[in-house]
Structure formats: C-alpha cells, structure tokens
Amino acid sequence: MIYIFDSNAIIDYLSASLPSKAMVTIHRIVDQGFFVSVITKIETLGFASGNTKVDSYTKSFVNLGIILELGPDIVQ
C-alpha cells in the first residue's frame, strides 16, 4: 500500500497530539516508507516551532519520505 502524508498529519504526529491508535498506525507506516508531495514538504517545513531541535527533527522526518515533485498527477 502507498501512503502520502499531509502536512497536518506530519505536524500532529511529530507533536504527539494524535490519539494513541493513530500514533501507532502512523509509526508503522513510517517504518514501511511513505510519500510526501513537495507542497506538503514546503508547508511542513514552514511550520516553525521556534525550537531548533524540533525543527531539525521535522526536516529529518520529512526527508525520510519519498518526495513527489510537482507534476500533473500531484496538481490534480
């Protein structure tokens, strides 16, 4: 199965603000591999927490995913 994360899902996952069942599910997805559109990458990295360590972790997390560049499929 292919999973594409939205910026809100990433931010909520990294801040551990999702219900525990959702946290476990996303953790499993991360272990299997996931996709992130370049737009989601921009949105997620634009969400600055003000904490350098957290922001660095967010950047590392986003870069774990396979980045989908802009193309007709992403635009649609």
Side-chain angles (χ1 to χ4, degrees):
M1 186 165 275
I2 296 174
Y3 297 96
I4 302 174
F5 282 130
D6 173 76
S7 55
N8 291 328
I10 293 171
I11 292 165
D12 290 348
Y13 173 71
L14 294 176
S15 65
S17 62
L18 296 172
S20 60
K21 188 173 181 178
M23 293 294 293
V24 170
T25 300
I26 291 178
H27 186 70
R28 287 185 186 144
I29 292 169
V30 170
D31 287 344
Q32 295 172 13
F34 61 96
F35 292 84
V36 175
S37 78
V38 70
I39 294 170
T40 296
K41 181 177 180 175
I42 292 167
E43 290 174 347
T44 303
L45 296 179
F47 182 78
S49 70
N51 180 321
T52 306
K53 185 176 179 180
V54 170
D55 293 341
S56 175
Y57 182 69
T58 300
K59 182 178 182 180
S60 296
F61 179 85
V62 169
N63 288 326
L64 285 175
I66 298 168
I67 306 301
L68 299 172
E69 299 299 330
L70 285 178
D73 291 338
I74 296 295
V75 172
Q76 291 300 322

PDB file of all heavy atoms in Angstrom, residues 49-74:
ATOM      1  N   SER A  49       8.518  25.763  14.839  1.00  0.00           N
ATOM      2  CA  SER A  49       8.099  25.653  16.236  1.00  0.00           C
ATOM      3  C   SER A  49       8.818  26.660  17.126  1.00  0.00           C
ATOM      4  O   SER A  49       8.401  26.906  18.247  1.00  0.00           O
ATOM      5  CB  SER A  49       8.381  24.242  16.752  1.00  0.00           C
ATOM      6  OG  SER A  49       9.785  24.051  16.884  1.00  0.00           O
ATOM      7  N   GLY A  50       9.929  27.191  16.627  1.00  0.00           N
ATOM      8  CA  GLY A  50      10.733  28.082  17.462  1.00  0.00           C
ATOM      9  C   GLY A  50      11.782  27.319  18.253  1.00  0.00           C
ATOM     10  O   GLY A  50      12.616  27.904  18.910  1.00  0.00           O
ATOM     11  N   ASN A  51      11.743  25.993  18.183  1.00  0.00           N
ATOM     12  CA  ASN A  51      12.696  25.131  18.864  1.00  0.00           C
ATOM     13  C   ASN A  51      13.599  24.517  17.790  1.00  0.00           C
ATOM     14  O   ASN A  51      13.149  23.719  16.973  1.00  0.00           O
ATOM     15  CB  ASN A  51      11.954  24.049  19.643  1.00  0.00           C
ATOM     16  CG  ASN A  51      12.869  23.115  20.388  1.00  0.00           C
ATOM     17  OD1 ASN A  51      13.922  22.730  19.915  1.00  0.00           O
ATOM     18  ND2 ASN A  51      12.430  22.720  21.577  1.00  0.00           N
ATOM     19  N   THR A  52      14.876  24.883  17.803  1.00  0.00           N
ATOM     20  CA  THR A  52      15.809  24.433  16.768  1.00  0.00           C
ATOM     21  C   THR A  52      15.879  22.920  16.679  1.00  0.00           C
ATOM     22  O   THR A  52      15.918  22.358  15.586  1.00  0.00           O
ATOM     23  CB  THR A  52      17.215  25.005  17.040  1.00  0.00           C
ATOM     24  OG1 THR A  52      17.115  26.420  17.168  1.00  0.00           O
ATOM     25  CG2 THR A  52      18.178  24.660  15.928  1.00  0.00           C
ATOM     26  N   LYS A  53      15.863  22.238  17.818  1.00  0.00           N
ATOM     27  CA  LYS A  53      15.946  20.776  17.833  1.00  0.00           C
ATOM     28  C   LYS A  53      14.705  20.160  17.177  1.00  0.00           C
ATOM     29  O   LYS A  53      14.807  19.244  16.365  1.00  0.00           O
ATOM     30  CB  LYS A  53      16.096  20.271  19.264  1.00  0.00           C
ATOM     31  CG  LYS A  53      16.301  18.785  19.372  1.00  0.00           C
ATOM     32  CD  LYS A  53      16.549  18.365  20.819  1.00  0.00           C
ATOM     33  CE  LYS A  53      16.726  16.868  20.914  1.00  0.00           C
ATOM     34  NZ  LYS A  53      16.963  16.437  22.283  1.00  0.00           N
ATOM     35  N   VAL A  54      13.535  20.665  17.516  1.00  0.00           N
ATOM     36  CA  VAL A  54      12.284  20.160  16.950  1.00  0.00           C
ATOM     37  C   VAL A  54      12.241  20.436  15.459  1.00  0.00           C
ATOM     38  O   VAL A  54      11.873  19.565  14.661  1.00  0.00           O
ATOM     39  CB  VAL A  54      11.058  20.779  17.664  1.00  0.00           C
ATOM     40  CG1 VAL A  54       9.767  20.454  16.932  1.00  0.00           C
ATOM     41  CG2 VAL A  54      10.999  20.308  19.106  1.00  0.00           C
ATOM     42  N   ASP A  55      12.625  21.633  15.051  1.00  0.00           N
ATOM     43  CA  ASP A  55      12.601  21.990  13.636  1.00  0.00           C
ATOM     44  C   ASP A  55      13.581  21.128  12.831  1.00  0.00           C
ATOM     45  O   ASP A  55      13.288  20.729  11.709  1.00  0.00           O
ATOM     46  CB  ASP A  55      12.896  23.474  13.439  1.00  0.00           C
ATOM     47  CG  ASP A  55      11.781  24.354  13.993  1.00  0.00           C
ATOM     48  OD1 ASP A  55      10.663  23.851  14.194  1.00  0.00           O
ATOM     49  OD2 ASP A  55      12.042  25.541  14.232  1.00  0.00           O
ATOM     50  N   SER A  56      14.716  20.810  13.411  1.00  0.00           N
ATOM     51  CA  SER A  56      15.691  19.944  12.753  1.00  0.00           C
ATOM     52  C   SER A  56      15.125  18.528  12.610  1.00  0.00           C
ATOM     53  O   SER A  56      15.289  17.890  11.571  1.00  0.00           O
ATOM     54  CB  SER A  56      16.990  19.920  13.562  1.00  0.00           C
ATOM     55  OG  SER A  56      17.888  18.998  12.999  1.00  0.00           O
ATOM     56  N   TYR A  57      14.445  18.053  13.649  1.00  0.00           N
ATOM     57  CA  TYR A  57      13.823  16.730  13.608  1.00  0.00           C
ATOM     58  C   TYR A  57      12.726  16.693  12.543  1.00  0.00           C
ATOM     59  O   TYR A  57      12.610  15.709  11.815  1.00  0.00           O
ATOM     60  CB  TYR A  57      13.259  16.372  14.988  1.00  0.00           C
ATOM     61  CG  TYR A  57      12.643  15.001  15.036  1.00  0.00           C
ATOM     62  CD1 TYR A  57      13.434  13.865  14.928  1.00  0.00           C
ATOM     63  CD2 TYR A  57      11.268  14.839  15.149  1.00  0.00           C
ATOM     64  CE1 TYR A  57      12.873  12.597  14.955  1.00  0.00           C
ATOM     65  CE2 TYR A  57      10.704  13.575  15.178  1.00  0.00           C
ATOM     66  CZ  TYR A  57      11.512  12.463  15.088  1.00  0.00           C
ATOM     67  OH  TYR A  57      10.949  11.213  15.109  1.00  0.00           O
ATOM     68  N   THR A  58      11.956  17.759  12.445  1.00  0.00           N
ATOM     69  CA  THR A  58      10.896  17.838  11.436  1.00  0.00           C
ATOM     70  C   THR A  58      11.498  17.739  10.041  1.00  0.00           C
ATOM     71  O   THR A  58      11.002  16.991   9.193  1.00  0.00           O
ATOM     72  CB  THR A  58      10.101  19.148  11.585  1.00  0.00           C
ATOM     73  OG1 THR A  58       9.523  19.188  12.888  1.00  0.00           O
ATOM     74  CG2 THR A  58       9.006  19.266  10.541  1.00  0.00           C
ATOM     75  N   LYS A  59      12.567  18.452   9.795  1.00  0.00           N
ATOM     76  CA  LYS A  59      13.237  18.409   8.496  1.00  0.00           C
ATOM     77  C   LYS A  59      13.735  16.996   8.206  1.00  0.00           C
ATOM     78  O   LYS A  59      13.551  16.477   7.098  1.00  0.00           O
ATOM     79  CB  LYS A  59      14.391  19.402   8.464  1.00  0.00           C
ATOM     80  CG  LYS A  59      15.101  19.462   7.142  1.00  0.00           C
ATOM     81  CD  LYS A  59      16.200  20.513   7.158  1.00  0.00           C
ATOM     82  CE  LYS A  59      16.890  20.596   5.808  1.00  0.00           C
ATOM     83  NZ  LYS A  59      17.955  21.606   5.819  1.00  0.00           N
ATOM     84  N   SER A  60      14.335  16.358   9.178  1.00  0.00           N
ATOM     85  CA  SER A  60      14.829  14.989   9.003  1.00  0.00           C
ATOM     86  C   SER A  60      13.688  14.029   8.706  1.00  0.00           C
ATOM     87  O   SER A  60      13.805  13.157   7.849  1.00  0.00           O
ATOM     88  CB  SER A  60      15.580  14.523  10.253  1.00  0.00           C
ATOM     89  OG  SER A  60      16.726  15.295  10.450  1.00  0.00           O
ATOM     90  N   PHE A  61      12.583  14.200   9.426  1.00  0.00           N
ATOM     91  CA  PHE A  61      11.434  13.320   9.220  1.00  0.00           C
ATOM     92  C   PHE A  61      10.889  13.456   7.806  1.00  0.00           C
ATOM     93  O   PHE A  61      10.661  12.455   7.125  1.00  0.00           O
ATOM     94  CB  PHE A  61      10.326  13.625  10.235  1.00  0.00           C
ATOM     95  CG  PHE A  61       9.120  12.760  10.055  1.00  0.00           C
ATOM     96  CD1 PHE A  61       9.054  11.511  10.628  1.00  0.00           C
ATOM     97  CD2 PHE A  61       8.045  13.188   9.286  1.00  0.00           C
ATOM     98  CE1 PHE A  61       7.939  10.700  10.447  1.00  0.00           C
ATOM     99  CE2 PHE A  61       6.936  12.383   9.090  1.00  0.00           C
ATOM    100  CZ  PHE A  61       6.882  11.138   9.681  1.00  0.00           C
ATOM    101  N   VAL A  62      10.680  14.669   7.355  1.00  0.00           N
ATOM    102  CA  VAL A  62      10.140  14.900   6.014  1.00  0.00           C
ATOM    103  C   VAL A  62      11.063  14.284   4.966  1.00  0.00           C
ATOM    104  O   VAL A  62      10.607  13.665   4.006  1.00  0.00           O
ATOM    105  CB  VAL A  62       9.922  16.406   5.751  1.00  0.00           C
ATOM    106  CG1 VAL A  62       9.610  16.668   4.294  1.00  0.00           C
ATOM    107  CG2 VAL A  62       8.792  16.928   6.624  1.00  0.00           C
ATOM    108  N   ASN A  63      12.359  14.403   5.173  1.00  0.00           N
ATOM    109  CA  ASN A  63      13.312  13.877   4.204  1.00  0.00           C
ATOM    110  C   ASN A  63      13.399  12.353   4.218  1.00  0.00           C
ATOM    111  O   ASN A  63      14.012  11.772   3.321  1.00  0.00           O
ATOM    112  CB  ASN A  63      14.683  14.514   4.401  1.00  0.00           C
ATOM    113  CG  ASN A  63      14.701  15.951   3.942  1.00  0.00           C
ATOM    114  OD1 ASN A  63      14.019  16.309   2.993  1.00  0.00           O
ATOM    115  ND2 ASN A  63      15.467  16.782   4.614  1.00  0.00           N
ATOM    116  N   LEU A  64      12.802  11.697   5.207  1.00  0.00           N
ATOM    117  CA  LEU A  64      12.719  10.232   5.201  1.00  0.00           C
ATOM    118  C   LEU A  64      11.765   9.742   4.117  1.00  0.00           C
ATOM    119  O   LEU A  64      11.909   8.634   3.611  1.00  0.00           O
ATOM    120  CB  LEU A  64      12.217   9.705   6.553  1.00  0.00           C
ATOM    121  CG  LEU A  64      13.170   9.722   7.723  1.00  0.00           C
ATOM    122  CD1 LEU A  64      12.440   9.274   8.983  1.00  0.00           C
ATOM    123  CD2 LEU A  64      14.379   8.848   7.463  1.00  0.00           C
ATOM    124  N   GLY A  65      10.791  10.563   3.802  1.00  0.00           N
ATOM    125  CA  GLY A  65       9.796  10.192   2.807  1.00  0.00           C
ATOM    126  C   GLY A  65      10.323  10.384   1.394  1.00  0.00           C
ATOM    127  O   GLY A  65      11.321  11.070   1.167  1.00  0.00           O
ATOM    128  N   ILE A  66       9.643   9.752   0.476  1.00  0.00           N
ATOM    129  CA  ILE A  66       9.951   9.953  -0.937  1.00  0.00           C
ATOM    130  C   ILE A  66       9.195  11.205  -1.373  1.00  0.00           C
ATOM    131  O   ILE A  66       7.972  11.271  -1.254  1.00  0.00           O
ATOM    132  CB  ILE A  66       9.521   8.734  -1.766  1.00  0.00           C
ATOM    133  CG1 ILE A  66      10.310   7.503  -1.304  1.00  0.00           C
ATOM    134  CG2 ILE A  66       9.715   8.993  -3.250  1.00  0.00           C
ATOM    135  CD1 ILE A  66       9.773   6.204  -1.842  1.00  0.00           C
ATOM    136  N   ILE A  67       9.930  12.192  -1.843  1.00  0.00           N
ATOM    137  CA  ILE A  67       9.331  13.475  -2.199  1.00  0.00           C
ATOM    138  C   ILE A  67       8.762  13.394  -3.617  1.00  0.00           C
ATOM    139  O   ILE A  67       9.464  13.057  -4.561  1.00  0.00           O
ATOM    140  CB  ILE A  67      10.359  14.623  -2.103  1.00  0.00           C
ATOM    141  CG1 ILE A  67      11.027  14.652  -0.722  1.00  0.00           C
ATOM    142  CG2 ILE A  67       9.707  15.963  -2.430  1.00  0.00           C
ATOM    143  CD1 ILE A  67      10.094  14.816   0.438  1.00  0.00           C
ATOM    144  N   LEU A  68       7.491  13.705  -3.740  1.00  0.00           N
ATOM    145  CA  LEU A  68       6.825  13.746  -5.043  1.00  0.00           C
ATOM    146  C   LEU A  68       6.881  15.168  -5.559  1.00  0.00           C
ATOM    147  O   LEU A  68       6.283  16.076  -4.972  1.00  0.00           O
ATOM    148  CB  LEU A  68       5.364  13.287  -4.908  1.00  0.00           C
ATOM    149  CG  LEU A  68       5.170  11.863  -4.402  1.00  0.00           C
ATOM    150  CD1 LEU A  68       3.686  11.616  -4.117  1.00  0.00           C
ATOM    151  CD2 LEU A  68       5.694  10.872  -5.408  1.00  0.00           C
ATOM    152  N   GLU A  69       7.610  15.354  -6.621  1.00  0.00           N
ATOM    153  CA  GLU A  69       7.747  16.689  -7.205  1.00  0.00           C
ATOM    154  C   GLU A  69       6.438  17.077  -7.881  1.00  0.00           C
ATOM    155  O   GLU A  69       5.572  16.243  -8.135  1.00  0.00           O
ATOM    156  CB  GLU A  69       8.899  16.708  -8.210  1.00  0.00           C
ATOM    157  CG  GLU A  69      10.247  16.374  -7.590  1.00  0.00           C
ATOM    158  CD  GLU A  69      10.690  17.349  -6.502  1.00  0.00           C
ATOM    159  OE1 GLU A  69      10.320  18.541  -6.553  1.00  0.00           O
ATOM    160  OE2 GLU A  69      11.419  16.919  -5.604  1.00  0.00           O
ATOM    161  N   LEU A  70       6.306  18.351  -8.215  1.00  0.00           N
ATOM    162  CA  LEU A  70       5.109  18.822  -8.894  1.00  0.00           C
ATOM    163  C   LEU A  70       5.025  18.241 -10.290  1.00  0.00           C
ATOM    164  O   LEU A  70       5.997  18.248 -11.038  1.00  0.00           O
ATOM    165  CB  LEU A  70       5.088  20.337  -8.979  1.00  0.00           C
ATOM    166  CG  LEU A  70       4.767  21.073  -7.694  1.00  0.00           C
ATOM    167  CD1 LEU A  70       4.835  22.569  -7.923  1.00  0.00           C
ATOM    168  CD2 LEU A  70       3.417  20.692  -7.169  1.00  0.00           C
ATOM    169  N   GLY A  71       3.900  17.739 -10.603  1.00  0.00           N
ATOM    170  CA  GLY A  71       3.630  17.183 -11.922  1.00  0.00           C
ATOM    171  C   GLY A  71       2.126  17.132 -12.087  1.00  0.00           C
ATOM    172  O   GLY A  71       1.382  17.444 -11.140  1.00  0.00           O
ATOM    173  N   PRO A  72       1.646  16.742 -13.221  1.00  0.00           N
ATOM    174  CA  PRO A  72       0.193  16.729 -13.447  1.00  0.00           C
ATOM    175  C   PRO A  72      -0.571  15.899 -12.416  1.00  0.00           C
ATOM    176  O   PRO A  72      -1.649  16.297 -11.987  1.00  0.00           O
ATOM    177  CB  PRO A  72       0.044  16.128 -14.845  1.00  0.00           C
ATOM    178  CG  PRO A  72       1.367  16.267 -15.489  1.00  0.00           C
ATOM    179  CD  PRO A  72       2.385  16.324 -14.393  1.00  0.00           C
ATOM    180  N   ASP A  73      -0.011  14.753 -11.988  1.00  0.00           N
ATOM    181  CA  ASP A  73      -0.710  13.904 -11.013  1.00  0.00           C
ATOM    182  C   ASP A  73      -0.839  14.601  -9.661  1.00  0.00           C
ATOM    183  O   ASP A  73      -1.874  14.514  -9.009  1.00  0.00           O
ATOM    184  CB  ASP A  73       0.005  12.566 -10.842  1.00  0.00           C
ATOM    185  CG  ASP A  73      -0.098  11.694 -12.082  1.00  0.00           C
ATOM    186  OD1 ASP A  73      -1.035  11.909 -12.885  1.00  0.00           O
ATOM    187  OD2 ASP A  73       0.767  10.819 -12.250  1.00  0.00           O
ATOM    188  N   ILE A  74       0.215  15.286  -9.239  1.00  0.00           N
ATOM    189  CA  ILE A  74       0.174  15.987  -7.953  1.00  0.00           C
ATOM    190  C   ILE A  74      -0.777  17.177  -8.043  1.00  0.00           C
ATOM    191  O   ILE A  74      -1.566  17.438  -7.140  1.00  0.00           O
ATOM    192  CB  ILE A  74       1.585  16.464  -7.530  1.00  0.00           C
ATOM    193  CG1 ILE A  74       2.481  15.259  -7.303  1.00  0.00           C
ATOM    194  CG2 ILE A  74       1.526  17.344  -6.298  1.00  0.00           C
ATOM    195  CD1 ILE A  74       2.071  14.369  -6.158  1.00  0.00           C
TER     196      ILE A  74
END
